[in-house]
Amino acid sequence: MTHYQHETAIVDPGAQIGEGSRVWHFVHVCGGARIGAEVSLGQNVFVGNKVVIGDRCKIQNNVSVYDNVTLEEGVFCGPSMVFTNVYNPRSLIERKDEYRDTLVKKGATLGANCTVVCGVTIGEYAFIGAGAVVNKDVKPYALMVGVPARQIGWMSQHGEQLDLPLSGDGETACIHTGAIYRLTDGQCERL
């Protein structure tokens, strides 16, 4: 076996789990899931059939990654955060053919207890604060908080808030790494 799997975890036949990944207590991975290398699936995580999880993601305890969710490399899902896959669920109405795709791009952080409403894209290295509700696309490097989530700043790849305005133009360095970030017409990039 190329990954660690706790004895209480259930990994259905057909699931692909990459080298060095760790599957902890009471996890359930469905047979169609594709999980990259060096991924950590914390206690009580559920991973659906139509899910892709990139290398080096960390899925903390009590997170359900439902069908039609894709996590690129290095995504952090905080404890008890929530994904949805149906926009307007009803118990008495079958809507499995209405699942909406959710894409979380490389290096993004999804804070504890935040909710990601289906059908959105969260940009590279975006940072979603604890308890926020994301119901629209998020720009790369954006710092989002609140219900509904609103942007209050920008974050570096290292996870440090950047001294940049919310809109317009600017340039600054990450206080931890010294990497330079430029804001041009409301779009942030690392140089």
Side-chain angles (χ1 to χ4, degrees), residues 29-140:
V29 179
C30 292
R34 292 184 296 150
I35 299 169
E38 299 179 39
V39 170
S40 177
L41 301 178
Q43 181 176 306
N44 199 39
V45 166
F46 170 79
V47 181
N49 276 303
K50 297 177 185 172
V51 169
V52 176
I53 298 175
D55 295 343
R56 299 178 7 182
C57 288
K58 289 183 173 55
I59 316 297
Q60 300 295 86
N61 296 354
N62 304 311
V63 174
S64 293
V65 187
Y66 294 120
D67 285 354
N68 293 53
V69 172
T70 298
L71 307 179
E72 291 186 351
E73 178 185 5
V75 170
F76 178 87
C77 295
S80 301
M81 65 80 47
V82 176
F83 290 102
T84 68
N85 60 8
V86 174
Y87 188 76
N88 55 341
R90 290 283 196 199
S91 182
L92 300 175
I93 298 173
E94 185 72 34
R95 292 204 161 113
K96 288 184 179 179
D97 61 341
E98 297 177 25
Y99 287 171
R100 295 185 184 184
D101 295 340
T102 297
L103 173 60
V104 184
K105 295 201 165 194
K106 180 179 180 177
T109 292
L110 309 176
N113 289 302
C114 75
T115 299
V116 178
V117 177
C118 58
V120 302
T121 296
I122 296 176
E124 295 88 350
Y125 298 100
F127 199 102
I128 311 302
V133 176
V134 176
N135 62 357
K136 62 183 178 182
D137 289 350
V138 174
K139 294 178 181 180

Side-chain angles (χ1 to χ4, degrees), residues 154 161-164 170-175 178-183 188-189 191:
W154 303 97
Q161 190 164 0
L162 296 169
D163 184 19
L164 289 170
E171 189 169 294
T172 193
C174 172
I175 62 171
I180 303 298
Y181 292 82
R182 179 178 294 149
L183 184 66
C188 186
E189 65 178 336
L191 300 181

Side-chain angles (χ1 to χ4, degrees), residues 153-173:
W154 303 97
M155 297 292 278
S156 73
Q157 288 183 13
H158 196 76
E160 300 290 342
Q161 190 164 0
L162 296 169
D163 184 19
L164 289 170
L166 284 181
S167 60
D169 299 326
E171 189 169 294
T172 193

